[in-house]
Amino acid sequence: MSESISVTASYNGSNAVYRILRDSSWGPALMNLGWFTFRGPMGFMNLTTNLCDLQRSLAYRSIGLMEVREAQKVLDIACGRGMTSYMIRRMHPSSNVTGLDLLPENIQIGRNLFGSQPGLEYTQGDATNLPFPDGSYDRIHCLEAAFHFPNRDRFLAESARVLRAGGRMVVIDFVWGKEAYREQRMSPAGKVVREIWQWEDLFTLEEYRGYAEKAGMTLKANFDWTNRVSTPNTRLLESLIWLKKRGWGKRAMEHMNPLLKSVSEQDWQELEEAAKAHRTMEPYCVYSAMVFEKR
């Protein structure tokens, strides 16, 4: 992991986006953006939804793409605090699931919360240098984490190495819509978004396809989930800001969620800057659900 990237900084409350999302029912066991029920003009209705439920909904869809079979071994890469690994095991009771994460504190939380579940274990390790023998797993899952990895080519190569022939890998990640869009990472908005979520660069879909092929995997399917995940998440932030700027709206939010009473003016300002940056970057980034199979 690059020294300039701090995965911890994305999820430990050191930025206003995380702090306000956390106070609005996002996380802490799951740390994905969530699968949003309402879109477009009805997006403000997401304010009435428990964000943790939306996060579970996204995890269910991601896990479903793996098509886990009876008694298969599953590796959940960058499992965070362990909830998704636990969900895989509960949804597939005959499976054996390993949750792997770079951060030892996440592994400890996973063990504390879910360590008593049979068929489930947590291991500290690096996605670009997996501590497992060749052909160890039938299925691999990586939900909304690969953008942190500075060497996604190594991630794909290592995943292919530990995946059995005929095995399936699901990667949910942000990708550049076009190669030319990569220059946006150095724009003012790009720098704000990169600082919040701690990433240096993204792949294009073609880069994912090419490096997967080189590693011995084929991209079998790709789904654009942008309008169900990243776009409505930005609209949620914008809706919070819109309400905050109106006295009645701020009072209503704080009545429904007293935790928001402690949000500072500085945090609201940072959230507004972040929402503007995310909106600016929307045309350039795609939230992709990719399914790979090993040849």
Side-chain angles (χ1 to χ4, degrees):
M1 187 67 66
S2 170
E3 293 182 0
S4 62
I5 294 296
S6 170
V7 179
T8 302
S10 295
Y11 308 106
N12 67 356
S14 60
N15 69 74
V17 173
Y18 183 92
R19 287 194 291 272
I20 293 175
L21 285 175
R22 182 175 58 189
D23 284 348
S24 302
S25 74
W26 189 78
L30 289 169
M31 294 182 286
N32 65 64
L33 291 179
W35 179 276
F36 285 78
T37 306
F38 301 101
R39 297 177 293 169
M42 297 300 292
F44 71 93
M45 290 292 292
N46 289 312
L47 288 168
T48 66
T49 307
N50 186 295
L51 299 185
C52 186
D53 291 340
L54 305 184
Q55 292 179 294
R56 285 191 180 215
S57 183
L58 177 58
Y60 288 142
R61 285 168 170 79
S62 178
I63 292 167
L65 291 178
M66 282 195 293
E67 298 183 357
V68 177
R69 306 304 185 197
E70 190 77 14
Q72 288 189 325
K73 294 186 66 177
V74 183
L75 174 61
D76 187 20
I77 294 179
C79 67
R81 294 165 183 167
M83 180 68 174
T84 306
S85 307
Y86 173 76
M87 293 171 68
I88 295 169
R89 180 60 178 80
R90 296 294 287 179
M91 292 168 68
H92 302 283
S94 67
S95 65
N96 283 278
V97 180
T98 301
L100 176 134
D101 200 83
L102 181 69
L103 304 180
E105 57 266 34
N106 280 348
I107 293 302
Q108 189 58 55
I109 291 171
R111 289 171 178 165
N112 289 345
L113 292 175
F114 311 114
S116 63
Q117 173 66 51
L120 174 63
E121 64 178 357
Y122 294 98
T123 300
Q124 192 274 332
D126 187 340
T128 63
N129 186 25
L130 296 172
F132 308 112
D134 296 358
S136 299
Y137 292 94
D138 303 286
R139 296 289 188 267
I140 296 179
H141 181 254
C142 184
L143 171 57
E144 205 177 290
F147 60 89
H148 291 306
F149 305 161
N151 299 305
R152 276 171 295 280
D153 53 339
R154 284 289 304 158
F155 157 61
L156 290 170
E158 277 291 277
S159 296
R161 179 182 65 79
V162 305
L163 191 62
R164 291 172 182 161
R168 174 173 288 207
M169 177 181 182
V170 171
V171 179
I172 315 296
D173 195 18
F174 293 94
V175 299
W176 295 118
K178 296 179 181 180
E179 171 61 34
Y181 293 164
R182 176 169 270 120
E183 65 186 28
Q184 293 299 321
R185 64 185 288 273
M186 299 307 296
S187 69
K191 290 178 180 179
V192 169
V193 173
R194 287 196 295 121
E195 176 65 23
I196 291 169
W197 298 111
Q198 290 294 298
W199 54 273
E200 293 181 345
D201 199 356
L202 306 175
F203 266 4
T204 62
L205 183 63
E206 289 308 309
E207 284 177 306
Y208 259 114
R209 189 194 310 274
Y211 281 111
E213 286 285 343
K214 185 177 180 181
M217 298 188 294
T218 301
L219 178 62
K220 301 295 289 188
N222 175 66
F223 305 95
D224 183 347
W225 287 357
T226 307
N227 288 331
R228 281 292 191 180
V229 182
S230 54
T231 295
N233 187 273
T234 299
R235 300 298 175 272
L236 175 70
L237 301 182
E238 292 172 338
S239 296
L240 287 170
I241 295 162
W242 188 89
L243 284 171
K244 186 269 174 187
K245 289 184 175 180
R246 287 147 180 85
W248 62 268
K250 186 173 185 293
R251 290 191 296 272
M253 281 197 300
E254 292 177 351
H255 175 74
M256 294 176 62
N257 182 3
L259 297 182
L260 294 176
K261 292 180 179 180
S262 295
V263 177
S264 68
E265 284 299 316
Q266 179 64 34
D267 273 0
W268 282 115
Q269 291 174 15
E270 289 184 18
L271 185 71
E272 184 169 6
E273 293 172 3
K276 290 178 179 177
H278 281 77
R279 168 79 80 142
T280 300
M281 293 294 288
E282 273 182 10
Y284 309 112
C285 300
V286 178
Y287 189 96
S288 291
M290 295 166 281
V291 180
F292 301 91
E293 290 186 0
K294 184 173 179 180
R295 298 190 294 274

